[in-house]
Amino acid sequence: MLIKTSSSALQGIEAYIVEVEVDIGNGLPDFIIVGLPDASVRESKERVKGALKNCGYDFQPRKVTINLAPADRRKEGPSFDLAIALGHLAFLNIVPVPPLQDYCFLGELALDGRIKPVKGVLSAAILARTRKFKGIVVPKDNEKEAALLDGLDVFGVSDLPQVVSFLHDPGRLPPSRYALSELVEEPPPGPDFREVKGQHHVKRALEVAAAGGHNVLLIGPPGSGKTMIARRLPSILPDMTFEEIIQVTQVYSAAGYLKGKGAVGRRPFRAPHHTVTDAGLIGGGAVPRPGEVSLAHLGVLFLDELPEFRRKVLEDLRQPLEDGTVTVVRSAHSATFPAAFMFVAAMNPCDCVAQLPSIRKKREDK
């Protein structure tokens, strides 16, 4: 018997539909997942088995084949667990088949049936709205980020029995409804530009740069306040619009940095260490993920001690600074990430200035 459900996967920060086909029939007991799954997807069979058994559902050894279509794109992450489990429950006539076609399902299953949060839920919600699904079923911890969108019913669920109950009677679980103030949480107070005393010419330069979105290079001896002033720059940047909030939150959702928050409400400030790699700064990996330039989208990217960064890393900044995007190409596919940020760097005038403290100490020792 063949059961079809819908889920989604990420390519860059954009989501695409993954059709989860569950075929259960006679033959030697086996559980096979095909469709270019990575290790975390292949391990889904153990999570699904444990969740079904511990929730009291019958799981007899059978010939089970799971196909994740399209089969030519590599799949990663545990977000397909819920869709696979629902295919099994439909085969057992525990859930009705027709509603499975109307919703998009995402969630990682714990062995006791709880549904854990996953990455990229906001991107999946945008896709579900575009594809005219009736709604999207997501983990309770991802509910707020998906509820940012208008025109889509979002259902946050905590465990597998709750999803079964919902599919029997969709009216039993009302869609999520939040005020915008509940979704875009007030960020905790951070470093404030008004705390800077003196340095009037530097403050004036940063005010002009913040107003026009210009890049800035701060040059001065150690201890002159370069880093201190740069960290306070986001406090004088204009507030983000709702469209900008969606863009930044989509990047952080795809990177898995939301951690239960509804949305990113403050312009990001990223300050990677000078040992950062090319992939860490620009993005990359076997399945490309956003790097620091994308996490700083619509905010500030600060490189302290600029000459300490490797030349290759600095050269990689050319495309995002010129285009506002960065494209990571792999043999099988490519991904384009947003990277429109304000670039701020700090450095000492020369190496001899940085060595002054050690030189003075040597002289004192003599």
Side-chain angles (χ1 to χ4, degrees):
M1 181 178 180
L2 178 63
I3 308 294
K4 295 183 179 181
T5 59
S6 295
S7 187
S8 75
L10 288 174
Q11 181 170 340
I13 64 168
E14 301 296 332
Y16 62 92
I17 288 294
V18 174
E19 191 173 28
V20 181
E21 301 174 330
V22 182
D23 182 43
I24 304 177
N26 298 322
L28 293 176
D30 200 359
F31 199 127
I32 304 172
I33 300 179
V34 297
L36 289 183
D38 72 347
S40 61
V41 179
R42 290 193 296 270
E43 291 170 354
S44 174
K45 60 183 180 181
E46 305 300 336
R47 295 191 294 270
V48 170
K49 289 178 184 178
L52 292 177
K53 289 179 179 178
N54 291 322
C55 288
Y57 303 118
D58 180 36
F59 187 89
Q60 298 297 328
R62 295 181 178 89
K63 173 71 174 180
V64 180
T65 303
I66 310 293
N67 180 41
L68 305 177
D72 60 344
R73 292 188 178 184
R74 187 165 184 81
K75 318 300 187 309
E76 68 165 0
S79 58
F80 310 112
D81 291 3
L82 179 58
I84 293 172
L86 291 176
H88 283 78
L89 294 177
F91 170 78
L92 298 172
N93 294 319
I94 295 176
V95 299
V97 175
L100 293 179
Q101 309 298 321
D102 299 332
Y103 299 92
C104 183
F105 300 93
L106 287 95
E108 175 189 349
L109 284 177
L111 295 182
D112 59 359
R114 289 179 295 111
I115 300 178
K116 296 182 177 181
V118 294
K119 298 188 297 185
V121 169
L122 180 55
S123 298
I126 294 173
L127 177 66
R129 185 177 64 177
T130 304
R131 292 295 189 92
K132 308 297 184 183
F133 281 94
K134 282 187 178 180
I136 183 170
V137 180
V138 300
K140 191 70 175 178
D141 288 344
N142 294 126
E143 181 182 37
K144 285 188 175 182
E145 61 178 283
L148 277 170
L149 298 180
D150 295 325
L152 178 70
D153 287 340
V154 177
F155 301 93
V157 291
S158 302
D159 51 44
L160 190 56
Q162 188 179 8
V163 183
V164 174
S165 175
F166 164 75
L167 291 174
H168 278 287
D169 182 10
R172 186 177 301 178
L173 181 65
S176 304
R177 292 287 183 266
Y178 290 96
L180 185 59
S181 58
E182 297 178 276
L183 299 175
V184 184
E185 301 175 359
E186 186 68 24
D192 199 317
F193 200 74
R194 72 181 68 183
E195 298 169 349
V196 181
K197 306 300 180 184
Q199 302 281 22
H200 300 292
H201 63 296
V202 180
K203 290 193 291 185
R204 176 58 180 165
L206 290 182
E207 289 167 1
V208 173
H214 306 299
N215 302 321
V216 180
L217 175 61
L218 301 173
I219 303 176
S224 58
K226 303 184 298 296
T227 303
M228 180 270 294
I229 294 176
R231 291 189 179 279
R232 284 158 173 76
L233 180 59
S235 66
I236 61 172
L237 294 176
D239 294 336
M240 288 196 292
T241 65
F242 182 73
E243 291 74 16
E244 290 177 331
I245 290 174
I246 293 289
Q247 292 181 44
V248 176
T249 303
Q250 189 176 0
V251 175
Y252 276 70
S253 174
Y257 288 167
L258 282 184
K259 301 187 184 301
K261 297 180 181 177
V264 178
R266 171 182 288 178
R267 293 190 182 274
F269 179 88
R270 305 294 299 184
H273 192 259
H274 65 261
T275 57
V276 66
T277 63
D278 302 0
L281 187 68
I282 302 300
V287 177
R289 298 178 181 178
E292 290 293 329
V293 296
S294 298
L295 295 171
H297 181 56
L298 299 177
V300 177
L301 176 68
F302 177 55
L303 300 187
D304 200 3
E305 302 297 343
L306 185 66
E308 300 296 330
F309 287 81
R310 288 179 293 173
R311 178 179 177 180
K312 180 64 169 60
V313 171
L314 297 178
E315 289 177 348
D316 288 341
L317 286 172
R318 178 170 50 83
Q319 184 195 0
L321 284 173
E322 291 179 355
D323 302 336
T325 60
V326 59
T327 301
V328 180
V329 181
R330 293 293 177 264
S331 58
H333 57 270
S334 64
T336 299
F337 300 101
F341 55 86
M342 182 177 172
F343 179 52
V344 180
M347 59 178 287
N348 299 319
C350 65
D351 290 340
C352 58
V353 175
Q355 294 172 4
L356 279 178
S358 60
I359 293 173
R360 288 171 181 165
K361 188 175 187 305
K362 287 179 181 179
R363 289 179 178 175
E364 290 174 357
D365 293 342
K366 290 181 179 180

